[in-house]
Amino acid sequence: MATANNRAEARALISTIDDAVVDGLMKGAVDLHVHSGPSTMARQLDHFQAVEQAAAAGMRGIMFKDHHYSVAPFLPIMERVLGHLDVAMFGGLVLNNTTGGLNPFVVDAQLNQGARLVWMPTAQSANHIRSSHRKTRLASNVQLKASPGITVVDAYGEILDPVKEILDSIAAFDAILSSGHLHVWEIWKLFREARKRGVKRLLVNHPMYGLHFTYEDITEMAEFGAVIEQSACLYVDSRFNVFSPQELKEHVLAAGVAHSSIGSDLGQVDNPSPVEGLRQAIKLLLALGFTEEEVRLMVRDNPAKLVGLDPA
């Protein structure tokens, strides 16, 4: 019932915002959380369609994320076919068991093939597996072979040596490190080690969903220098909605607009498309009282800077 109420409230607020205003704010937007296909999970659009739709909306760039393979090696081919659309395309690697887990050699190879972002384990992290108990939205890829949970720390809470090697590679390539679906306690350990090793670009995905952040954690992580990305799908009129519009405002303000980013986290069937989800998020933010300048920071400038694009 709460989710149905959230969605109804989101629809009501979204309906108050003029599409023309949103059209302007979509120009130059960068979505660092697109789940297009092919994938082990059903997707409503493929990578080519995601680029075409982003171009039609005037967006500047998108990041492809799949939990079980990296799109990065295919981007030169996609650039040859779609480069004329002038949408920057990025890929990264999620460190689940299906991609080699915490394997420094795989990470090194992917970074050498152009991966721009390394996500820590997501659906196969120990935290995700524990947190998904009796929560169907967090349970994913049940059709895959059962996987042991991955953690980045040893029994004493110290960062594992292979993870340190991975952090060194991320630092050497000036790539982005994402928290994945680790527990907030692990993320603090990881990010502190990353900073010591020279990693400059830190990203936290949907901190209040499955990662067990508190508002204080969000504030302190932003002050530490991480970009805090909120997933549009958790707030807009989506079957993944779990938060009210007011909670979106609270989550953004906990980090501060200057440290916040909005990613669609969309591409699944029976959901808004990534472009439509981002549009809905923009409308929701405006209806909640954020200014156009603040929204532009969150959907264009902050993600562009994180991925190394000039937002202008």
Side-chain angles (χ1 to χ4, degrees):
M1 179 63 70
T3 295
N5 291 340
N6 291 344
R7 293 179 68 175
E9 186 180 356
R11 283 195 298 271
L13 288 171
I14 286 167
S15 68
T16 66
I17 304 300
D18 187 350
D19 280 328
V21 176
V22 181
D23 291 343
L25 290 170
M26 286 294 290
K27 303 299 183 187
V30 178
D31 186 351
L32 299 183
H33 208 143
V34 173
H35 285 298
S36 46
S39 176
T40 58
M41 293 170 278
R43 299 302 188 208
Q44 64 165 277
L45 75 173
D46 62 33
H47 305 319
F48 281 56
Q49 291 169 315
V51 175
E52 291 163 350
Q53 292 182 15
M59 294 177 62
R60 179 69 182 91
I62 59 175
M63 171 77 72
F64 302 104
K65 180 182 181 182
D66 191 273
H67 295 286
H68 304 295
Y69 74 98
S70 170
V71 182
F74 305 102
L75 292 181
I77 299 172
M78 294 178 64
E79 288 281 359
R80 179 173 61 82
V81 178
L82 299 173
H84 66 284
L85 295 178
D86 199 27
V87 174
M89 294 174 271
F90 301 98
L93 178 69
V94 183
L95 303 185
N96 286 322
N97 289 304
T98 44
T99 63
L102 304 176
N103 188 322
F105 301 101
V106 175
V107 173
D108 176 70
Q110 284 294 317
L111 290 170
N112 273 288
Q113 291 184 82
R116 193 74 190 95
L117 195 159
V118 176
W119 290 273
M120 284 294 125
T122 56
Q124 294 176 341
S125 71
N127 175 62
H128 180 104
I129 292 170
R130 287 192 300 266
S131 300
S132 64
H133 177 61
R134 300 181 69 179
K135 295 179 182 176
T136 56
R137 287 185 180 86
L138 267 174
S140 55
N141 293 298
V142 293
Q143 73 272 28
L144 296 180
K145 185 176 181 179
S147 174
I150 306 173
T151 178
V152 296
V153 297
D154 63 20
Y156 295 94
E158 301 300 323
I159 296 295
L160 298 169
D161 287 341
V163 176
K164 294 177 182 178
E165 288 188 60
I166 289 168
L167 296 177
D168 288 341
S169 292
I170 293 171
F173 281 84
D174 194 23
I176 305 164
L177 169 64
S178 164
S179 58
H181 293 185
L182 298 176
H183 189 279
V184 60
W185 176 77
E186 296 173 276
I187 296 168
W188 274 116
K189 293 270 187 177
L190 177 74
F191 278 12
R192 288 186 177 117
E193 186 69 29
R195 274 284 189 251
K196 286 195 299 185
R197 293 176 176 273
V199 176
K200 298 181 178 67
R201 305 175 193 265
L202 302 174
L203 175 65
V204 177
N205 304 113
H206 51 71
M208 300 299 272
Y209 186 67
L211 277 58
H212 306 283
F213 271 64
T214 64
Y215 285 98
E216 290 78 10
D217 285 315
I218 293 178
T219 300
E220 291 171 14
M221 190 66 77
E223 291 171 349
F224 187 72
V227 172
I228 310 299
E229 181 191 86
Q230 305 297 343
S231 291
C233 68
L234 300 176
Y235 306 93
V236 302
D237 187 14
S238 151
R239 63 184 175 89
F240 286 172
N241 177 291
V242 292
F243 296 117
S244 69
Q246 182 59 33
E247 286 173 306
L248 170 59
K249 185 173 186 177
E250 292 171 359
H251 296 168
V252 169
L253 291 178
V257 169
H259 305 284
S260 292
S261 174
I262 306 296
S264 69
D265 201 354
L266 287 164
Q268 310 86 1
V269 295
D270 302 323
N271 256 345
S273 69
V275 166
E276 175 55 27
L278 196 58
R279 288 182 64 88
Q280 286 192 31
I282 289 171
K283 289 185 176 183
L284 201 53
L285 289 164
L286 292 171
L288 289 167
F290 292 98
T291 67
E292 291 184 33
E293 181 180 358
E294 289 173 327
V295 173
R296 191 173 287 110
L297 271 174
M298 292 188 279
V299 302
R300 188 192 74 174
D301 296 357
N302 292 343
K305 181 179 178 182
L306 182 65
V307 83
L309 284 176
D310 177 359

